[in-house]
């Protein structure tokens, strides 16, 4: 069963898939730059983005569906 992601979390996932940098992705998603390192780390755990680099071959929409349990 999936769970709902906020728009910030979705933006974080999309950015993370492109950059692979959780801190930068948190900032780009609109989280505070002061706490971006901690927020990025927390989001990687809570949103359960698979860290498998092979996911870079998939579109961000596919990964969002995977992360939310839609697949």
């Amino acid at each position: 069963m999936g769970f709902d992601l906020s728009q910030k979390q979705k933006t974080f996932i999309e950015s993370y898939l492109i950059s692979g940098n959780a801190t930068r992705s948190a900032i780009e998603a609109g989280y505070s730059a002061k706490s971006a390192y901690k927020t990025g780390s927390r989001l990687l755990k809570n949103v359960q983005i698979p860290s498998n680099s092979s996911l870079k071959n998939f579109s961000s929409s596919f990964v969002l569906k995977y992360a939310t349990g839609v697949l």
Side-chain angles (χ1 to χ4, degrees):
M1 175 166 298
F3 54 93
D4 294 328
L5 295 176
S6 70
Q7 186 57 47
K8 277 187 177 182
Q9 290 170 324
K10 291 177 184 178
T11 303
F12 171 81
I13 291 171
E14 291 171 350
S15 178
Y16 182 74
L17 289 173
I18 294 167
S19 71
N21 184 313
T23 301
R24 182 182 310 150
S25 298
I27 293 169
E28 289 179 9
Y31 293 96
S32 166
K34 280 186 167 184
S35 60
Y37 178 81
K38 200 177 268 189
T39 301
S41 177
R42 179 182 51 80
L43 286 169
L44 287 175
K45 291 176 189 169
N46 293 347
V47 177
Q48 299 176 5
I49 303 169
S51 61
N52 188 337
S53 62
S54 67
L55 285 179
K56 294 218 179 229
N57 296 328
F58 295 103
S59 70
S60 58
S61 63
F62 173 83
V63 175
L64 283 172
K65 289 177 183 176
Y66 176 88
T68 58
V70 173
L71 292 178

PDB file of all heavy atoms in Angstrom, residues 3 5 8-18 20-22 25-26 39-53 55-56 60 62-64 66-68:
ATOM      1  N   PHE A   3       1.577   5.617  -0.090  1.00  0.00           N
ATOM      2  CA  PHE A   3       1.239   6.742   0.757  1.00  0.00           C
ATOM      3  C   PHE A   3       1.370   7.998  -0.072  1.00  0.00           C
ATOM      4  O   PHE A   3       2.017   8.016  -1.116  1.00  0.00           O
ATOM      5  CB  PHE A   3       2.132   6.800   1.997  1.00  0.00           C
ATOM      6  CG  PHE A   3       3.603   6.790   1.681  1.00  0.00           C
ATOM      7  CD1 PHE A   3       4.309   7.969   1.531  1.00  0.00           C
ATOM      8  CD2 PHE A   3       4.279   5.589   1.533  1.00  0.00           C
ATOM      9  CE1 PHE A   3       5.654   7.964   1.231  1.00  0.00           C
ATOM     10  CE2 PHE A   3       5.639   5.574   1.241  1.00  0.00           C
ATOM     11  CZ  PHE A   3       6.321   6.763   1.080  1.00  0.00           C
ATOM     12  N   LEU A   5       2.528  11.652  -1.157  1.00  0.00           N
ATOM     13  CA  LEU A   5       3.701  12.506  -1.037  1.00  0.00           C
ATOM     14  C   LEU A   5       3.274  13.949  -1.227  1.00  0.00           C
ATOM     15  O   LEU A   5       2.407  14.242  -2.054  1.00  0.00           O
ATOM     16  CB  LEU A   5       4.735  12.154  -2.111  1.00  0.00           C
ATOM     17  CG  LEU A   5       5.384  10.781  -2.049  1.00  0.00           C
ATOM     18  CD1 LEU A   5       6.304  10.589  -3.248  1.00  0.00           C
ATOM     19  CD2 LEU A   5       6.165  10.614  -0.768  1.00  0.00           C
ATOM     20  N   LYS A   8       6.475  19.017  -2.253  1.00  0.00           N
ATOM     21  CA  LYS A   8       7.900  19.180  -1.942  1.00  0.00           C
ATOM     22  C   LYS A   8       8.635  17.846  -2.018  1.00  0.00           C
ATOM     23  O   LYS A   8       9.751  17.764  -2.524  1.00  0.00           O
ATOM     24  CB  LYS A   8       8.097  19.785  -0.540  1.00  0.00           C
ATOM     25  CG  LYS A   8       7.981  21.267  -0.465  1.00  0.00           C
ATOM     26  CD  LYS A   8       8.362  21.727   0.941  1.00  0.00           C
ATOM     27  CE  LYS A   8       8.348  23.209   1.087  1.00  0.00           C
ATOM     28  NZ  LYS A   8       8.769  23.629   2.426  1.00  0.00           N
ATOM     29  N   GLN A   9       8.028  16.799  -1.494  1.00  0.00           N
ATOM     30  CA  GLN A   9       8.651  15.483  -1.529  1.00  0.00           C
ATOM     31  C   GLN A   9       8.790  14.979  -2.968  1.00  0.00           C
ATOM     32  O   GLN A   9       9.813  14.405  -3.333  1.00  0.00           O
ATOM     33  CB  GLN A   9       7.857  14.487  -0.695  1.00  0.00           C
ATOM     34  CG  GLN A   9       7.950  14.745   0.789  1.00  0.00           C
ATOM     35  CD  GLN A   9       6.974  13.915   1.589  1.00  0.00           C
ATOM     36  OE1 GLN A   9       5.847  13.658   1.155  1.00  0.00           O
ATOM     37  NE2 GLN A   9       7.405  13.472   2.766  1.00  0.00           N
ATOM     38  N   LYS A  10       7.777  15.213  -3.788  1.00  0.00           N
ATOM     39  CA  LYS A  10       7.848  14.816  -5.193  1.00  0.00           C
ATOM     40  C   LYS A  10       8.956  15.571  -5.909  1.00  0.00           C
ATOM     41  O   LYS A  10       9.723  14.994  -6.682  1.00  0.00           O
ATOM     42  CB  LYS A  10       6.503  15.059  -5.882  1.00  0.00           C
ATOM     43  CG  LYS A  10       5.407  14.132  -5.418  1.00  0.00           C
ATOM     44  CD  LYS A  10       4.099  14.484  -6.083  1.00  0.00           C
ATOM     45  CE  LYS A  10       2.966  13.631  -5.548  1.00  0.00           C
ATOM     46  NZ  LYS A  10       1.677  13.990  -6.132  1.00  0.00           N
ATOM     47  N   THR A  11       9.048  16.867  -5.638  1.00  0.00           N
ATOM     48  CA  THR A  11      10.097  17.676  -6.251  1.00  0.00           C
ATOM     49  C   THR A  11      11.466  17.201  -5.787  1.00  0.00           C
ATOM     50  O   THR A  11      12.410  17.129  -6.575  1.00  0.00           O
ATOM     51  CB  THR A  11       9.903  19.169  -5.912  1.00  0.00           C
ATOM     52  OG1 THR A  11       8.608  19.570  -6.357  1.00  0.00           O
ATOM     53  CG2 THR A  11      10.952  20.038  -6.564  1.00  0.00           C
ATOM     54  N   PHE A  12      11.565  16.846  -4.509  1.00  0.00           N
ATOM     55  CA  PHE A  12      12.821  16.326  -3.978  1.00  0.00           C
ATOM     56  C   PHE A  12      13.229  15.061  -4.727  1.00  0.00           C
ATOM     57  O   PHE A  12      14.379  14.914  -5.144  1.00  0.00           O
ATOM     58  CB  PHE A  12      12.689  16.026  -2.478  1.00  0.00           C
ATOM     59  CG  PHE A  12      13.873  15.300  -1.911  1.00  0.00           C
ATOM     60  CD1 PHE A  12      15.016  15.986  -1.554  1.00  0.00           C
ATOM     61  CD2 PHE A  12      13.857  13.914  -1.751  1.00  0.00           C
ATOM     62  CE1 PHE A  12      16.119  15.310  -1.054  1.00  0.00           C
ATOM     63  CE2 PHE A  12      14.952  13.240  -1.254  1.00  0.00           C
ATOM     64  CZ  PHE A  12      16.089  13.941  -0.903  1.00  0.00           C
ATOM     65  N   ILE A  13      12.299  14.141  -4.927  1.00  0.00           N
ATOM     66  CA  ILE A  13      12.589  12.885  -5.621  1.00  0.00           C
ATOM     67  C   ILE A  13      13.066  13.161  -7.042  1.00  0.00           C
ATOM     68  O   ILE A  13      14.083  12.622  -7.484  1.00  0.00           O
ATOM     69  CB  ILE A  13      11.350  11.968  -5.656  1.00  0.00           C
ATOM     70  CG1 ILE A  13      11.043  11.458  -4.254  1.00  0.00           C
ATOM     71  CG2 ILE A  13      11.555  10.796  -6.603  1.00  0.00           C
ATOM     72  CD1 ILE A  13       9.722  10.730  -4.139  1.00  0.00           C
ATOM     73  N   GLU A  14      12.349  14.013  -7.755  1.00  0.00           N
ATOM     74  CA  GLU A  14      12.720  14.314  -9.127  1.00  0.00           C
ATOM     75  C   GLU A  14      14.115  14.920  -9.198  1.00  0.00           C
ATOM     76  O   GLU A  14      14.929  14.544 -10.037  1.00  0.00           O
ATOM     77  CB  GLU A  14      11.695  15.252  -9.757  1.00  0.00           C
ATOM     78  CG  GLU A  14      10.351  14.587  -9.982  1.00  0.00           C
ATOM     79  CD  GLU A  14       9.265  15.558 -10.399  1.00  0.00           C
ATOM     80  OE1 GLU A  14       9.479  16.792 -10.352  1.00  0.00           O
ATOM     81  OE2 GLU A  14       8.181  15.081 -10.764  1.00  0.00           O
ATOM     82  N   SER A  15      14.404  15.845  -8.303  1.00  0.00           N
ATOM     83  CA  SER A  15      15.711  16.481  -8.282  1.00  0.00           C
ATOM     84  C   SER A  15      16.808  15.492  -7.892  1.00  0.00           C
ATOM     85  O   SER A  15      17.897  15.490  -8.470  1.00  0.00           O
ATOM     86  CB  SER A  15      15.698  17.656  -7.304  1.00  0.00           C
ATOM     87  OG  SER A  15      16.968  18.248  -7.241  1.00  0.00           O
ATOM     88  N   TYR A  16      16.493  14.635  -6.927  1.00  0.00           N
ATOM     89  CA  TYR A  16      17.479  13.656  -6.467  1.00  0.00           C
ATOM     90  C   TYR A  16      17.839  12.664  -7.571  1.00  0.00           C
ATOM     91  O   TYR A  16      18.990  12.257  -7.708  1.00  0.00           O
ATOM     92  CB  TYR A  16      16.962  12.918  -5.234  1.00  0.00           C
ATOM     93  CG  TYR A  16      17.956  11.926  -4.685  1.00  0.00           C
ATOM     94  CD1 TYR A  16      19.076  12.363  -3.980  1.00  0.00           C
ATOM     95  CD2 TYR A  16      17.799  10.556  -4.887  1.00  0.00           C
ATOM     96  CE1 TYR A  16      20.000  11.457  -3.495  1.00  0.00           C
ATOM     97  CE2 TYR A  16      18.717   9.651  -4.404  1.00  0.00           C
ATOM     98  CZ  TYR A  16      19.821  10.107  -3.700  1.00  0.00           C
ATOM     99  OH  TYR A  16      20.743   9.212  -3.230  1.00  0.00           O
ATOM    100  N   LEU A  17      16.863  12.290  -8.377  1.00  0.00           N
ATOM    101  CA  LEU A  17      17.129  11.363  -9.480  1.00  0.00           C
ATOM    102  C   LEU A  17      18.060  11.973 -10.515  1.00  0.00           C
ATOM    103  O   LEU A  17      18.833  11.269 -11.154  1.00  0.00           O
ATOM    104  CB  LEU A  17      15.821  10.931 -10.136  1.00  0.00           C
ATOM    105  CG  LEU A  17      14.961  10.014  -9.297  1.00  0.00           C
ATOM    106  CD1 LEU A  17      13.617   9.800  -9.971  1.00  0.00           C
ATOM    107  CD2 LEU A  17      15.656   8.684  -9.063  1.00  0.00           C
ATOM    108  N   ILE A  18      17.995  13.278 -10.660  1.00  0.00           N
ATOM    109  CA  ILE A  18      18.863  13.958 -11.618  1.00  0.00           C
ATOM    110  C   ILE A  18      20.251  14.187 -11.035  1.00  0.00           C
ATOM    111  O   ILE A  18      21.256  13.884 -11.666  1.00  0.00           O
ATOM    112  CB  ILE A  18      18.236  15.302 -12.051  1.00  0.00           C
ATOM    113  CG1 ILE A  18      16.952  15.037 -12.828  1.00  0.00           C
ATOM    114  CG2 ILE A  18      19.221  16.134 -12.866  1.00  0.00           C
ATOM    115  CD1 ILE A  18      16.090  16.256 -13.046  1.00  0.00           C
ATOM    116  N   GLY A  20      21.462  13.222  -7.726  1.00  0.00           N
ATOM    117  CA  GLY A  20      22.037  12.268  -6.783  1.00  0.00           C
ATOM    118  C   GLY A  20      22.527  12.933  -5.503  1.00  0.00           C
ATOM    119  O   GLY A  20      23.177  12.313  -4.677  1.00  0.00           O
ATOM    120  N   ASN A  21      22.195  14.213  -5.327  1.00  0.00           N
ATOM    121  CA  ASN A  21      22.646  14.985  -4.175  1.00  0.00           C
ATOM    122  C   ASN A  21      21.435  15.361  -3.333  1.00  0.00           C
ATOM    123  O   ASN A  21      20.620  16.203  -3.731  1.00  0.00           O
ATOM    124  CB  ASN A  21      23.383  16.235  -4.665  1.00  0.00           C
ATOM    125  CG  ASN A  21      23.980  17.045  -3.545  1.00  0.00           C
ATOM    126  OD1 ASN A  21      23.314  17.316  -2.550  1.00  0.00           O
ATOM    127  ND2 ASN A  21      25.222  17.449  -3.711  1.00  0.00           N
ATOM    128  N   ALA A  22      21.325  14.751  -2.154  1.00  0.00           N
ATOM    129  CA  ALA A  22      20.152  14.963  -1.300  1.00  0.00           C
ATOM    130  C   ALA A  22      20.072  16.388  -0.768  1.00  0.00           C
ATOM    131  O   ALA A  22      18.980  16.961  -0.678  1.00  0.00           O
ATOM    132  CB  ALA A  22      20.157  13.965  -0.147  1.00  0.00           C
ATOM    133  N   SER A  25      19.007  18.684  -3.586  1.00  0.00           N
ATOM    134  CA  SER A  25      17.626  18.363  -3.938  1.00  0.00           C
ATOM    135  C   SER A  25      16.644  18.926  -2.915  1.00  0.00           C
ATOM    136  O   SER A  25      15.563  19.390  -3.284  1.00  0.00           O
ATOM    137  CB  SER A  25      17.450  16.854  -4.058  1.00  0.00           C
ATOM    138  OG  SER A  25      18.269  16.363  -5.092  1.00  0.00           O
ATOM    139  N   ALA A  26      17.001  18.889  -1.647  1.00  0.00           N
ATOM    140  CA  ALA A  26      16.140  19.450  -0.602  1.00  0.00           C
ATOM    141  C   ALA A  26      15.982  20.957  -0.801  1.00  0.00           C
ATOM    142  O   ALA A  26      14.873  21.491  -0.686  1.00  0.00           O
ATOM    143  CB  ALA A  26      16.701  19.144   0.776  1.00  0.00           C
ATOM    144  N   THR A  39      17.558  17.471   6.301  1.00  0.00           N
ATOM    145  CA  THR A  39      16.281  17.208   5.652  1.00  0.00           C
ATOM    146  C   THR A  39      16.437  16.216   4.510  1.00  0.00           C
ATOM    147  O   THR A  39      15.635  15.286   4.365  1.00  0.00           O
ATOM    148  CB  THR A  39      15.666  18.521   5.119  1.00  0.00           C
ATOM    149  OG1 THR A  39      15.489  19.423   6.213  1.00  0.00           O
ATOM    150  CG2 THR A  39      14.340  18.281   4.437  1.00  0.00           C
ATOM    151  N   GLY A  40      17.479  16.397   3.703  1.00  0.00           N
ATOM    152  CA  GLY A  40      17.723  15.477   2.595  1.00  0.00           C
ATOM    153  C   GLY A  40      17.931  14.055   3.074  1.00  0.00           C
ATOM    154  O   GLY A  40      17.380  13.104   2.519  1.00  0.00           O
ATOM    155  N   SER A  41      18.699  13.915   4.136  1.00  0.00           N
ATOM    156  CA  SER A  41      18.951  12.595   4.708  1.00  0.00           C
ATOM    157  C   SER A  41      17.657  11.969   5.224  1.00  0.00           C
ATOM    158  O   SER A  41      17.384  10.794   4.990  1.00  0.00           O
ATOM    159  CB  SER A  41      19.962  12.716   5.843  1.00  0.00           C
ATOM    160  OG  SER A  41      20.168  11.477   6.461  1.00  0.00           O
ATOM    161  N   ARG A  42      16.851  12.771   5.908  1.00  0.00           N
ATOM    162  CA  ARG A  42      15.574  12.281   6.447  1.00  0.00           C
ATOM    163  C   ARG A  42      14.625  11.874   5.327  1.00  0.00           C
ATOM    164  O   ARG A  42      13.974  10.825   5.394  1.00  0.00           O
ATOM    165  CB  ARG A  42      14.930  13.363   7.322  1.00  0.00           C
ATOM    166  CG  ARG A  42      13.597  12.964   7.914  1.00  0.00           C
ATOM    167  CD  ARG A  42      12.966  14.081   8.741  1.00  0.00           C
ATOM    168  NE  ARG A  42      12.888  15.349   8.075  1.00  0.00           N
ATOM    169  CZ  ARG A  42      11.953  15.688   7.169  1.00  0.00           C
ATOM    170  NH1 ARG A  42      11.029  14.816   6.827  1.00  0.00           N
ATOM    171  NH2 ARG A  42      11.953  16.878   6.610  1.00  0.00           N
ATOM    172  N   LEU A  43      14.568  12.669   4.281  1.00  0.00           N
ATOM    173  CA  LEU A  43      13.674  12.356   3.162  1.00  0.00           C
ATOM    174  C   LEU A  43      14.083  11.061   2.469  1.00  0.00           C
ATOM    175  O   LEU A  43      13.229  10.284   2.057  1.00  0.00           O
ATOM    176  CB  LEU A  43      13.653  13.507   2.157  1.00  0.00           C
ATOM    177  CG  LEU A  43      12.883  14.746   2.600  1.00  0.00           C
ATOM    178  CD1 LEU A  43      13.154  15.900   1.655  1.00  0.00           C
ATOM    179  CD2 LEU A  43      11.398  14.457   2.679  1.00  0.00           C
ATOM    180  N   LEU A  44      15.369  10.834   2.338  1.00  0.00           N
ATOM    181  CA  LEU A  44      15.816   9.589   1.709  1.00  0.00           C
ATOM    182  C   LEU A  44      15.348   8.378   2.501  1.00  0.00           C
ATOM    183  O   LEU A  44      15.027   7.339   1.922  1.00  0.00           O
ATOM    184  CB  LEU A  44      17.335   9.564   1.575  1.00  0.00           C
ATOM    185  CG  LEU A  44      17.908  10.476   0.505  1.00  0.00           C
ATOM    186  CD1 LEU A  44      19.435  10.437   0.557  1.00  0.00           C
ATOM    187  CD2 LEU A  44      17.405  10.105  -0.873  1.00  0.00           C
ATOM    188  N   LYS A  45      15.273   8.519   3.813  1.00  0.00           N
ATOM    189  CA  LYS A  45      14.800   7.414   4.652  1.00  0.00           C
ATOM    190  C   LYS A  45      13.278   7.324   4.651  1.00  0.00           C
ATOM    191  O   LYS A  45      12.707   6.255   4.480  1.00  0.00           O
ATOM    192  CB  LYS A  45      15.295   7.597   6.085  1.00  0.00           C
ATOM    193  CG  LYS A  45      16.768   7.425   6.244  1.00  0.00           C
ATOM    194  CD  LYS A  45      17.194   7.707   7.662  1.00  0.00           C
ATOM    195  CE  LYS A  45      18.707   7.737   7.761  1.00  0.00           C
ATOM    196  NZ  LYS A  45      19.148   8.250   9.046  1.00  0.00           N
ATOM    197  N   ASN A  46      12.614   8.460   4.854  1.00  0.00           N
ATOM    198  CA  ASN A  46      11.159   8.473   5.018  1.00  0.00           C
ATOM    199  C   ASN A  46      10.390   8.255   3.724  1.00  0.00           C
ATOM    200  O   ASN A  46       9.341   7.623   3.730  1.00  0.00           O
ATOM    201  CB  ASN A  46      10.706   9.791   5.648  1.00  0.00           C
ATOM    202  CG  ASN A  46      11.183   9.927   7.071  1.00  0.00           C
ATOM    203  OD1 ASN A  46      11.645   8.966   7.673  1.00  0.00           O
ATOM    204  ND2 ASN A  46      11.090  11.118   7.613  1.00  0.00           N
ATOM    205  N   VAL A  47      10.878   8.804   2.634  1.00  0.00           N
ATOM    206  CA  VAL A  47      10.181   8.684   1.369  1.00  0.00           C
ATOM    207  C   VAL A  47      10.490   7.341   0.731  1.00  0.00           C
ATOM    208  O   VAL A  47       9.805   6.887  -0.157  1.00  0.00           O
ATOM    209  CB  VAL A  47      10.546   9.864   0.427  1.00  0.00           C
ATOM    210  CG1 VAL A  47       9.900   9.725  -0.917  1.00  0.00           C
ATOM    211  CG2 VAL A  47      10.141  11.181   1.052  1.00  0.00           C
ATOM    212  N   GLN A  48      11.520   6.689   1.212  1.00  0.00           N
ATOM    213  CA  GLN A  48      11.912   5.358   0.758  1.00  0.00           C
ATOM    214  C   GLN A  48      12.233   5.332  -0.726  1.00  0.00           C
ATOM    215  O   GLN A  48      11.736   4.510  -1.477  1.00  0.00           O
ATOM    216  CB  GLN A  48      10.842   4.327   1.095  1.00  0.00           C
ATOM    217  CG  GLN A  48      10.599   4.207   2.573  1.00  0.00           C
ATOM    218  CD  GLN A  48       9.479   3.247   2.896  1.00  0.00           C
ATOM    219  OE1 GLN A  48       8.939   2.593   2.023  1.00  0.00           O
ATOM    220  NE2 GLN A  48       9.134   3.153   4.157  1.00  0.00           N
ATOM    221  N   ILE A  49      13.083   6.262  -1.140  1.00  0.00           N
ATOM    222  CA  ILE A  49      13.570   6.261  -2.509  1.00  0.00           C
ATOM    223  C   ILE A  49      14.631   5.173  -2.601  1.00  0.00           C
ATOM    224  O   ILE A  49      15.597   5.195  -1.857  1.00  0.00           O
ATOM    225  CB  ILE A  49      14.211   7.606  -2.882  1.00  0.00           C
ATOM    226  CG1 ILE A  49      13.224   8.742  -2.690  1.00  0.00           C
ATOM    227  CG2 ILE A  49      14.737   7.559  -4.312  1.00  0.00           C
ATOM    228  CD1 ILE A  49      13.846  10.096  -2.783  1.00  0.00           C
ATOM    229  N   PRO A  50      14.445   4.229  -3.468  1.00  0.00           N
ATOM    230  CA  PRO A  50      15.472   3.195  -3.600  1.00  0.00           C
ATOM    231  C   PRO A  50      16.801   3.821  -4.003  1.00  0.00           C
ATOM    232  O   PRO A  50      16.844   4.671  -4.879  1.00  0.00           O
ATOM    233  CB  PRO A  50      14.936   2.302  -4.721  1.00  0.00           C
ATOM    234  CG  PRO A  50      13.482   2.598  -4.774  1.00  0.00           C
ATOM    235  CD  PRO A  50      13.322   4.021  -4.347  1.00  0.00           C
ATOM    236  N   SER A  51      17.870   3.438  -3.344  1.00  0.00           N
ATOM    237  CA  SER A  51      19.166   4.023  -3.633  1.00  0.00           C
ATOM    238  C   SER A  51      19.873   3.324  -4.777  1.00  0.00           C
ATOM    239  O   SER A  51      20.981   3.673  -5.126  1.00  0.00           O
ATOM    240  CB  SER A  51      20.043   3.983  -2.382  1.00  0.00           C
ATOM    241  OG  SER A  51      20.226   2.644  -1.984  1.00  0.00           O
ATOM    242  N   ASN A  52      19.232   2.361  -5.372  1.00  0.00           N
ATOM    243  CA  ASN A  52      19.818   1.611  -6.472  1.00  0.00           C
ATOM    244  C   ASN A  52      20.042   2.537  -7.666  1.00  0.00           C
ATOM    245  O   ASN A  52      19.116   3.137  -8.176  1.00  0.00           O
ATOM    246  CB  ASN A  52      18.874   0.467  -6.860  1.00  0.00           C
ATOM    247  CG  ASN A  52      19.486  -0.464  -7.857  1.00  0.00           C
ATOM    248  OD1 ASN A  52      20.396  -0.109  -8.581  1.00  0.00           O
ATOM    249  ND2 ASN A  52      18.975  -1.667  -7.905  1.00  0.00           N
ATOM    250  N   SER A  53      21.276   2.670  -8.096  1.00  0.00           N
ATOM    251  CA  SER A  53      21.602   3.583  -9.179  1.00  0.00           C
ATOM    252  C   SER A  53      20.932   3.193 -10.487  1.00  0.00           C
ATOM    253  O   SER A  53      20.818   4.002 -11.399  1.00  0.00           O
ATOM    254  CB  SER A  53      23.111   3.656  -9.376  1.00  0.00           C
ATOM    255  OG  SER A  53      23.609   2.384  -9.733  1.00  0.00           O
ATOM    256  N   LEU A  55      17.929   2.916 -10.975  1.00  0.00           N
ATOM    257  CA  LEU A  55      16.692   3.680 -11.127  1.00  0.00           C
ATOM    258  C   LEU A  55      16.894   4.921 -11.978  1.00  0.00           C
ATOM    259  O   LEU A  55      15.941   5.489 -12.476  1.00  0.00           O
ATOM    260  CB  LEU A  55      16.128   4.080  -9.761  1.00  0.00           C
ATOM    261  CG  LEU A  55      15.458   2.961  -8.996  1.00  0.00           C
ATOM    262  CD1 LEU A  55      14.967   3.466  -7.656  1.00  0.00           C
ATOM    263  CD2 LEU A  55      14.301   2.375  -9.783  1.00  0.00           C
ATOM    264  N   LYS A  56      18.129   5.341 -12.178  1.00  0.00           N
ATOM    265  CA  LYS A  56      18.388   6.502 -13.026  1.00  0.00           C
ATOM    266  C   LYS A  56      17.963   6.223 -14.461  1.00  0.00           C
ATOM    267  O   LYS A  56      17.792   7.133 -15.246  1.00  0.00           O
ATOM    268  CB  LYS A  56      19.855   6.895 -12.958  1.00  0.00           C
ATOM    269  CG  LYS A  56      20.246   7.401 -11.591  1.00  0.00           C
ATOM    270  CD  LYS A  56      21.192   8.533 -11.711  1.00  0.00           C
ATOM    271  CE  LYS A  56      21.532   9.014 -10.329  1.00  0.00           C
ATOM    272  NZ  LYS A  56      21.420  10.417 -10.199  1.00  0.00           N
ATOM    273  N   SER A  60      11.253   9.876 -13.966  1.00  0.00           N
ATOM    274  CA  SER A  60      10.888  10.310 -12.618  1.00  0.00           C
ATOM    275  C   SER A  60       9.438   9.953 -12.303  1.00  0.00           C
ATOM    276  O   SER A  60       9.106   9.658 -11.164  1.00  0.00           O
ATOM    277  CB  SER A  60      11.127  11.805 -12.442  1.00  0.00           C
ATOM    278  OG  SER A  60      10.395  12.543 -13.391  1.00  0.00           O
ATOM    279  N   PHE A  62       7.872   7.253 -13.225  1.00  0.00           N
ATOM    280  CA  PHE A  62       7.879   5.850 -12.828  1.00  0.00           C
ATOM    281  C   PHE A  62       8.332   5.717 -11.380  1.00  0.00           C
ATOM    282  O   PHE A  62       7.732   4.991 -10.595  1.00  0.00           O
ATOM    283  CB  PHE A  62       8.802   5.034 -13.736  1.00  0.00           C
ATOM    284  CG  PHE A  62       8.989   3.613 -13.264  1.00  0.00           C
ATOM    285  CD1 PHE A  62       8.057   2.647 -13.582  1.00  0.00           C
ATOM    286  CD2 PHE A  62      10.073   3.252 -12.477  1.00  0.00           C
ATOM    287  CE1 PHE A  62       8.204   1.337 -13.139  1.00  0.00           C
ATOM    288  CE2 PHE A  62      10.233   1.952 -12.029  1.00  0.00           C
ATOM    289  CZ  PHE A  62       9.289   1.003 -12.365  1.00  0.00           C
ATOM    290  N   VAL A  63       9.385   6.412 -11.023  1.00  0.00           N
ATOM    291  CA  VAL A  63       9.922   6.316  -9.660  1.00  0.00           C
ATOM    292  C   VAL A  63       8.928   6.894  -8.661  1.00  0.00           C
ATOM    293  O   VAL A  63       8.758   6.361  -7.568  1.00  0.00           O
ATOM    294  CB  VAL A  63      11.302   6.990  -9.562  1.00  0.00           C
ATOM    295  CG1 VAL A  63      11.808   6.991  -8.127  1.00  0.00           C
ATOM    296  CG2 VAL A  63      12.293   6.280 -10.475  1.00  0.00           C
ATOM    297  N   LEU A  64       8.240   7.980  -9.014  1.00  0.00           N
ATOM    298  CA  LEU A  64       7.217   8.536  -8.118  1.00  0.00           C
ATOM    299  C   LEU A  64       6.105   7.528  -7.894  1.00  0.00           C
ATOM    300  O   LEU A  64       5.628   7.361  -6.777  1.00  0.00           O
ATOM    301  CB  LEU A  64       6.645   9.832  -8.682  1.00  0.00           C
ATOM    302  CG  LEU A  64       7.509  11.062  -8.539  1.00  0.00           C
ATOM    303  CD1 LEU A  64       6.910  12.221  -9.311  1.00  0.00           C
ATOM    304  CD2 LEU A  64       7.699  11.430  -7.083  1.00  0.00           C
ATOM    305  N   TYR A  66       6.451   4.300  -8.080  1.00  0.00           N
ATOM    306  CA  TYR A  66       7.057   3.252  -7.263  1.00  0.00           C
ATOM    307  C   TYR A  66       7.095   3.692  -5.795  1.00  0.00           C
ATOM    308  O   TYR A  66       6.726   2.943  -4.903  1.00  0.00           O
ATOM    309  CB  TYR A  66       8.475   2.969  -7.767  1.00  0.00           C
ATOM    310  CG  TYR A  66       9.222   1.956  -6.935  1.00  0.00           C
ATOM    311  CD1 TYR A  66       9.111   0.593  -7.222  1.00  0.00           C
ATOM    312  CD2 TYR A  66      10.027   2.341  -5.886  1.00  0.00           C
ATOM    313  CE1 TYR A  66       9.792  -0.341  -6.467  1.00  0.00           C
ATOM    314  CE2 TYR A  66      10.707   1.414  -5.132  1.00  0.00           C
ATOM    315  CZ  TYR A  66      10.591   0.067  -5.430  1.00  0.00           C
ATOM    316  OH  TYR A  66      11.266  -0.850  -4.674  1.00  0.00           O
ATOM    317  N   ALA A  67       7.525   4.933  -5.556  1.00  0.00           N
ATOM    318  CA  ALA A  67       7.666   5.434  -4.187  1.00  0.00           C
ATOM    319  C   ALA A  67       6.326   5.553  -3.482  1.00  0.00           C
ATOM    320  O   ALA A  67       6.243   5.393  -2.259  1.00  0.00           O
ATOM    321  CB  ALA A  67       8.372   6.780  -4.195  1.00  0.00           C
ATOM    322  N   THR A  68       5.270   5.826  -4.231  1.00  0.00           N
ATOM    323  CA  THR A  68       3.960   5.972  -3.613  1.00  0.00           C
ATOM    324  C   THR A  68       3.164   4.684  -3.603  1.00  0.00           C
ATOM    325  O   THR A  68       2.042   4.640  -3.112  1.00  0.00           O
ATOM    326  CB  THR A  68       3.133   7.054  -4.336  1.00  0.00           C
ATOM    327  OG1 THR A  68       3.009   6.706  -5.708  1.00  0.00           O
ATOM    328  CG2 THR A  68       3.752   8.415  -4.192  1.00  0.00           C
TER     329      THR A  68
END
